[in-house]
Amino acid sequence: MRIFIGGSVSENIDNKYIEEGNKLVELILENDFEVLCCADLRGFIGKLYSNMKKRTDKKIILTVPKIYKKYTTNIKEKIDIVTNTINERTDESIKNSDVCLFMPGGIGTIYEIMSTIETKRAGEHKNKIVIVNNFGYYNEFINMLEKVYKEEFAETSTKELYKIVNTVEEAINYIKK
């Protein structure tokens, strides 16, 4: 099973999120999943990638839009997918994975979450979508989605397209089902 991992590239996030990323790496390796991630290897995603590379020789599929290629100079491996735009990179990430797992992240991660949900709703893919709400990070985002459903801007059946969990352990258990 191939998992796309979305998350922060910020260098300034609290270490508790990095520790959760380390747990995620352990679980991915235990379950022999393949990983696809952004080749912009700063912050959380960079630490996740480095941790995995130290622990396994298994290929990690890297994707990057041209605009962020400047952040890939420290990568020794070939970048597998280089796209013209961020939209194309998100589409390629979805197309080349079975699961889209989102850890806490910034604007780019939120964009990827919404794009993945919308394209699944439109029938463009069947990937499992998992949002990991570590430490309540996505609480306000989840509340916003609930308002969308409550005020009938979207059908509540859309909730069935994704799973929100609080821990990486819950995420992996859901993925394995």
Side-chain angles (χ1 to χ4, degrees):
M1 181 166 310
R2 189 175 285 171
I3 300 176
F4 166 69
I5 300 173
S8 179
V9 295
S10 171
E11 299 288 348
N12 302 313
I13 64 173
D14 191 300
N15 198 50
K16 66 186 180 185
Y17 297 108
I18 304 301
E19 291 171 13
E20 287 299 303
N22 291 336
K23 286 183 197 174
L24 178 61
V25 167
E26 293 292 328
L27 293 167
I28 286 170
L29 294 174
E30 268 178 36
N31 289 283
D32 201 33
F33 294 139
E34 289 183 75
V35 172
L36 182 135
C37 70
C38 181
D40 179 346
L41 297 180
R42 297 173 293 156
F44 171 82
I45 291 296
K47 287 178 175 51
L48 185 120
Y49 172 82
S50 296
N51 188 1
M52 286 199 69
K53 288 310 282 182
K54 287 179 197 168
R55 308 272 320 283
T56 184
D57 290 335
K58 195 170 198 168
K59 172 97 176 98
I60 298 171
I61 299 165
L62 297 171
T63 67
V64 68
K66 286 179 182 173
I67 193 165
Y68 292 144
K69 198 136 189 309
K70 62 188 171 195
Y71 299 117
T72 66
T73 55
N74 61 340
I75 299 172
K76 295 176 181 75
E77 293 80 22
K78 176 183 168 279
I79 298 173
D80 303 282
I81 302 167
V82 178
T83 63
N84 290 315
T85 68
I86 291 169
N87 289 342
E88 288 174 7
R89 198 259 329 204
T90 301
D91 291 345
E92 287 295 317
S93 297
I94 294 167
K95 182 174 86 175
N96 287 287
S97 63
D98 304 301
V99 175
C100 296
L101 185 147
F102 298 101
M103 298 294 286
I107 301 298
T109 307
I110 293 167
Y111 159 76
E112 291 169 340
I113 292 169
M114 295 305 293
S115 181
T116 305
I117 293 170
E118 178 58 14
T119 52
K120 184 172 183 177
R121 189 172 76 100
E124 295 178 22
H125 66 87
K126 294 182 181 188
N127 293 18
K128 286 186 176 181
I129 302 170
V130 185
I131 303 167
V132 183
N133 188 29
N134 286 138
F135 310 105
Y137 179 82
Y138 283 116
N139 285 350
E140 286 80 13
F141 177 74
I142 294 164
N143 289 338
M144 184 206 65
L145 289 174
E146 287 302 320
K147 183 174 181 169
V148 168
Y149 303 130
K150 181 180 178 189
E151 295 192 17
E152 298 184 8
F153 283 92
E155 295 179 11
T156 57
S157 61
T158 303
K159 289 184 197 183
E160 297 168 18
L161 302 177
Y162 57 91
K163 178 78 170 168
I164 298 170
V165 299
N166 293 312
T167 67
V168 293
E169 293 87 356
E170 288 177 79
I172 296 301
N173 286 336
Y174 173 73
I175 291 167
K176 290 180 0 182
K177 288 182 187 175

